[in-house]
Amino acid sequence: MGLLEQITGPARLRTLTIAQTEQLAAEIREFLVQAVSRTGGHLGPNLGVVELTIAMHRVFSSPTDTFVFDTGHQSYVHKLLTGRQDFSRLRRHDGLSGYPSRAESEHDVVENSHASTALSWADGIAKANALKGSLDRHVVAVIGDGALTGGMAWEAINNIAGSTDERLVIVVNDNGRSYAPTIGGLAHHLDTLRTTRGYEQVLSWGKRTLKRSGLPGRVTYDALHGLKKGIKDVVAPQGMFEDLGLKYIGPVDGHDVAALERSLSAARAFGGPVLVHVMTEKGRGYSPAEQDVADRFHAVGQIHPETGLPVAPSRFGWTSVFADEIVAIGRRRPDVVAITAAMLNPVGLAPFQAEFPHRTFDVGIAEQHAVTSAAGMAFAGMHPVVAVYATFLNRAFDQVLMDVALHRAGVTFVLDRAGITGDDGASHNGVWDLAMLRIVPGLRLAAPRDESTLRAALRAAVDVDDAPTVVRYPKGSVGPDLVAVDELDGVDVLARHEPGDGEERRVLVVGIGSMAQTALGLGEKLAALGLGCTVVSPTWVLPVPSALVKSAGEHDLVVTIEDGLADGGVGALVRERAAEAGVRTPVHTVGLPTAFLPHASREQVAEGNRLTVPDITADVLRLLGG
Ligand SMILES: Cc1ncc(C[n+]2csc(CCOP(=O)(O)OP(=O)(O)O)c2C)c(N)n1
Ligand SMILES: CC(=O)[C@@H](O)[C@H](O)COP(=O)(O)O
Ligand SMILES: [Mg+2]
C-alpha cells in the first residue's frame, strides 16, 4: 500500500516525516496524471500545488482553520488529502466536482469558479472570527498570480492590509502563468523576485552551502530566506505588499515541503494578516505539461498519460469558427482590435494575435477593465471585440451597461461557452447572458445556430459602431449548417409543416441559437401528430424581431427554446412584446430553470430540465388541450 491511500484525512498527514511527504507528493502526481488523463480536468494547476497543499494541511488544521482556494480549479490535491480519492467520475454527474463543494466535504468553502474572489471571502471570514473572539482560527487563502490580476483581489488587499486582528494568511501561488504567462505590472513585480539573478545566486548559494553545514547553516539559510526584505532592497524594488502595510514572507520554494512549513508556521505565528509568496511550477513533474509552452495543461480533455496528446479531436468547433472569421475581419478592418481576459487560446484569439500582435490585448483576469477599456478604445476610433466566456461577462455587467451602452459605443462582445458547459458546474454554465443583457438599452444580441450564421453575425456585429453588439455560442462542436427554406422579414424559416386532415392548429417554434436543432426536431414531431408547424431561427434575438411578433399572431401557440434562463430570457421577451402588440397567442418558453445546475453533461441537463423533444411535445399537447 502506498502512502496516499493511507491518507484518510489531514491528521494522518501530520504523522509523516518530511521524506515521507516527498514520497506522498510523488504518489499524488502519479495519481493526478493517471486520473485526470481519463476524465479531463485541471491537470497543470494541480500538479503545481502538491507540496503547497500538503504543507498547508500539516501546518494548519482544516476545517477549524478555513481554507479558501481562488477559482478552485487547483483543489484536487486538497480533495485527495481530505478523504476524497475516487476521481473516476471527476466533473461528471454524481462524481466529484472539479471545484470545492460543500456537499462533498466540511473542508470546502468556496464553490464559485470565478477568479479573484478568495481574498474577499477570506477577509470576511477572518473579520467574523475576530468579532467572535475566535483568534485561534486562521483563514488561509490560496490565490494564483493570475487571479491576483483581478481587481476584486486588490479591493480585498486594501481592506486586509489595514487590519491588525485578522488571522489571515494569503498564499500567493506564483507560477508565473494564468493560461499563458501572466501579464501586467504585478506579474513583473512578482517576477522580479523570481528571476532576479542576484536573488537566485544568493538563494542557490544558500541552498548549496548553508544547508550542508548542519543546524547553524540551516538556521542561517532560513534567516537568509526570511530576510527577503534585505535581498529585495539589494536586487529588487521594495515589495509593494509591504508598502501597503501587509506583512510579506517569501518568496518560498513552493516544491520544498520543509521550507513551506517553516514559512507557513511563521505566518501562523504572526498574529495578523500575512502574505506568503510561494513560487511554484504549473504542470510540475509531468514532462508533457512542463514542455507545453501554450498553457501548461491548464485544462485538458481526455489525454494519453504518457504523451499528453488528446484522445479525442478538438472539442471546440464554435471557437475555431470564431478564430478563423475574426482574422478575416481583422484583415479588412484595421480598426478592429481584440481583447481577452487571460484566455487568448481558450477563446480562439491566438491566430488573430499571431497576425495582428499589436491589435491584440490580454488584460489579465480583469473583465471589468476589459469592457471599459474597450469603451475607451471605441471612443478613440477602434472597434474592439471583447472575447470572454459567457459566464465571466456577469462580473462586467455594469461596465457593459454604463460604459459601453450608455455611451453608445461600438463594442462587440463574443461570448463563448454560452449555455450549459456541463463539466465545470454551476458557476461556469453560461446561462445568464440572455436574461442579463436584454435590459441593456440599445444592445443587439445574436445567437447563431451554425457556422454560417456565426460568421455572418460576426461580420454584421463589427459593422455596428453606435451600440454594443453581442454574439454568443455554446461550448463544443458546431453541427452542420441548418439551411433556411424561407424567411420572414429577416427571420430564417427552417421548416414549414401544413396541418393534417381535419386539423387547423398551427404552432410557431422559435429555435434560439444552437437550440434550432431541437426546434427542427420538435417541428417534425408535431407534424407527425398532424399539427401545423413553422420552425424559425432568428439569428439576431435582441431586440426581439418584429417578424416574430407578427408571426405569433398567425399561430395558435408559440414555443421558444433557448439555452438560457426560461424566466426572463428571450422567450419571455417575445411573450411581452406580443402582449404589448395585442397578440393574444400564448407563448410557452422552454429554457433553463433559474437555478444553479451542478456539473453534468449537456444531455443530462436537457433530460433533467424538460428540454428534450418528447418533453416539449408533451407540453405542447397539454397547452393545446390534447
Ligand atoms: C472571472 C474569471 N475569468 C476567467 C476565468 C478563467 N480562468 C480559470 S483559471 C484561470 C487562470 C488562473 O491563473 P492563476 O490564478 O495564476 O492560477 P493557476 O492556474 O496558475 O494555478 C483563468 C483565466 C475564471 N475562472 N474567472
Ligand atoms: C477554471 C476555469 O475557469 C477554466 O479553466 C475553465 O475550466 C476552462 O473551461 P473550458 O474547458 O471550457 O475551456
Ligand atoms: Mg498562475
Side-chain angles (χ1 to χ4, degrees):
M1 173 188 263
L3 279 174
L4 178 55
E5 48 205 348
Q6 299 176 42
I7 306 298
T8 52
R12 177 71 176 83
L13 201 55
R14 296 184 199 113
T15 66
L16 302 183
T17 64
I18 288 294
Q20 285 177 315
T21 63
E22 287 160 359
Q23 178 195 332
L24 174 63
E27 288 181 27
I28 289 173
R29 283 196 167 87
E30 179 58 25
F31 177 97
L32 288 173
V33 169
Q34 295 303 325
V36 179
S37 297
R38 284 190 291 272
T39 62
H42 288 92
L43 183 55
N46 283 284
L47 290 171
V49 296
V50 175
E51 289 85 2
L52 171 59
T53 311
I54 289 172
M56 282 168 57
H57 275 289
R58 283 164 56 90
V59 171
F60 293 94
S61 176
S62 170
T64 304
D65 294 325
T66 307
F67 286 3
V68 174
F69 293 92
D70 196 287
T71 316
H73 62 306
Q74 77 293 58
S75 60
Y76 298 2
V77 182
H78 168 73
K79 294 194 177 209
L80 286 171
L81 300 178
T82 52
R84 290 166 279 177
Q85 299 191 5
D86 178 3
F87 274 48
S88 60
R89 293 187 58 73
L90 177 68
R91 311 198 314 169
R92 293 182 185 159
H93 181 59
D94 287 343
L96 284 179
S97 165
Y99 301 93
S101 162
R102 295 185 184 182
E104 287 176 16
S105 171
E106 61 179 344
H107 294 278
D108 292 6
V109 175
V110 178
E111 303 182 352
N112 176 14
S113 63
H114 291 201
S116 316
T117 69
L119 303 192
S120 298
W121 272 96
D123 180 43
I125 297 167
K127 279 190 170 101
N129 287 343
L131 280 172
K132 294 190 305 183
S134 307
L135 297 180
D136 57 329
R137 303 190 67 172
H138 282 75
V139 186
V140 184
V142 177
I143 183 166
D145 55 299
L148 208 52
T149 60
M152 192 174 165
W154 292 91
E155 294 171 22
I157 287 175
N158 185 46
N159 279 271
I160 293 165
S163 154
T164 54
D165 59 356
E166 289 187 37
R167 298 290 187 272
L168 170 52
V169 178
I170 298 170
V171 178
V172 174
N173 171 30
D174 178 9
N175 54 27
R177 312 178 71 90
S178 291
Y179 282 73
T182 301
I183 65 97
L186 168 75
H188 174 72
H189 179 74
L190 290 174
D191 204 44
T192 303
L193 296 173
R194 287 173 67 90
T195 56
T196 303
R197 173 182 291 282
Y199 169 73
E200 290 295 352
Q201 284 169 344
V202 170
L203 184 68
S204 57
W205 171 75
K207 278 197 170 181
R208 267 195 326 274
T209 50
L210 292 173
K211 275 191 163 181
R212 273 205 306 264
S213 48
L215 185 61
R218 295 185 68 77
V219 171
T220 310
Y221 174 74
D222 285 349
L224 195 64
H225 244 268
L227 286 178
K228 286 306 161 301
K229 190 171 173 50
I231 290 175
K232 288 203 304 268
D233 287 346
V234 170
V235 297
Q238 176 60 37
M240 87 180 113
F241 299 113
E242 287 162 331
D243 289 346
L244 286 171
L246 192 60
K247 166 72 178 167
Y248 171 96
I249 295 176
V252 185
D253 179 349
H255 301 296
D256 179 336
V257 176
L260 284 163
E261 290 188 9
R262 289 193 294 268
S263 295
L264 291 173
S265 299
R268 192 179 200 289
F270 181 66
V274 189
L275 185 143
V276 182
H277 179 193
V278 174
M279 299 188 307
T280 63
E281 183 185 5
K282 190 171 236 180
R284 170 95 170 194
Y286 181 48
S287 54
E290 288 174 341
Q291 292 155 18
D292 176 47
V293 292
D295 64 12
R296 291 287 177 86
F297 283 51
H298 176 88
V300 299
Q302 290 176 309
I303 57 174
H304 288 293
E306 297 73 30
T307 62
L309 295 175
V311 169
S314 166
R315 303 176 282 162
F316 307 123
W318 289 93
T319 309
S320 304
V321 174
F322 164 66
D324 182 63
E325 188 62 31
I326 193 64
V327 169
I329 290 171
R331 287 174 182 152
R332 60 182 175 78
R333 286 280 301 272
D335 62 317
V336 167
V337 294
I339 300 175
T340 174
M343 299 181 79
L344 184 89
N345 276 308
V347 297
L349 282 177
F352 189 92
Q353 183 192 51
E355 189 152 339
F356 310 109
H358 302 300
R359 290 160 51 191
T360 309
F361 300 92
D362 178 354
V363 298
I365 309 179
E367 286 81 2
Q368 294 173 328
H369 172 69
V371 173
T372 300
S373 67
M377 295 177 105
F379 169 76
M382 310 309 286
H383 189 106
V385 174
V386 180
V388 295
Y389 286 8
T391 188
F392 300 141
L393 190 68
N394 296 356
R395 65 167 44 174
F397 172 74
D398 188 61
Q399 287 74 18
V400 172
L401 183 67
M402 294 304 177
D403 290 311
V404 177
L406 175 65
H407 298 87
R408 292 182 298 284
V411 175
T412 295
F413 297 94
V414 174
L415 305 186
D416 197 336
R417 287 12 179 223
I420 292 294
T421 54
D423 48 15
D424 266 321
S427 51
H428 255 78
N429 288 322
V431 299
W432 326 97
D433 59 310
L434 296 175
M436 182 177 76
L437 296 172
R438 56 166 275 196
I439 64 173
V440 178
L443 180 141
R444 305 176 200 180
L445 185 144
R449 62 172 179 272
D450 53 26
E451 174 171 348
S452 297
T453 50
L454 170 54
R455 291 181 186 274
L458 290 168
R459 292 193 292 268
V462 298
D463 283 346
V464 177
D465 61 7
D466 61 354
T469 50
V470 180
V471 180
R472 56 103 69 180
Y473 46 83
K475 176 174 184 174
S477 54
V478 57
D481 273 6
L482 301 175
V483 179
V485 296
D486 194 356
E487 74 152 42
L488 278 173
D489 297 337
V491 170
D492 285 342
V493 177
L494 300 186
R496 286 187 193 283
H497 302 284
E498 289 306 312
D501 293 343
E503 175 60 78
E504 292 180 357
R505 292 172 299 180
R506 293 171 179 273
V507 179
L508 175 63
V509 181
V510 184
I512 294 159
S514 59
M515 301 310 285
Q517 190 62 63
T518 303
L520 273 172
L522 177 65
E524 288 162 10
K525 185 75 175 174
L526 297 179
L529 294 170
L531 289 165
C533 194
T534 310
V535 181
V536 298
S537 161
T539 298
W540 292 89
V541 292
L542 295 178
V544 169
S546 56
L548 282 188
V549 175
K550 180 173 179 293
S551 181
E554 297 158 1
H555 289 80
D556 301 287
L557 175 67
V558 178
V559 178
T560 62
I561 310 172
E562 59 200 288
D563 56 351
L565 303 187
D567 291 346
V570 171
L573 198 53
V574 170
R575 179 186 297 126
E576 292 166 33
R577 293 291 176 265
E580 287 162 11
V583 173
R584 307 182 64 78
T585 307
V587 177
H588 176 52
T589 58
V590 177
L592 294 158
T594 303
F596 296 110
L597 300 174
H599 56 282
S601 70
R602 194 175 296 148
E603 294 68 31
Q604 286 164 330
V605 172
E607 285 160 22
N609 292 282
R610 299 187 57 73
L611 282 170
T612 66
V613 169
D615 292 325
I616 307 170
T617 301
D619 292 347
V620 169
L621 296 177
R622 171 175 50 78
L623 291 164
L624 288 178

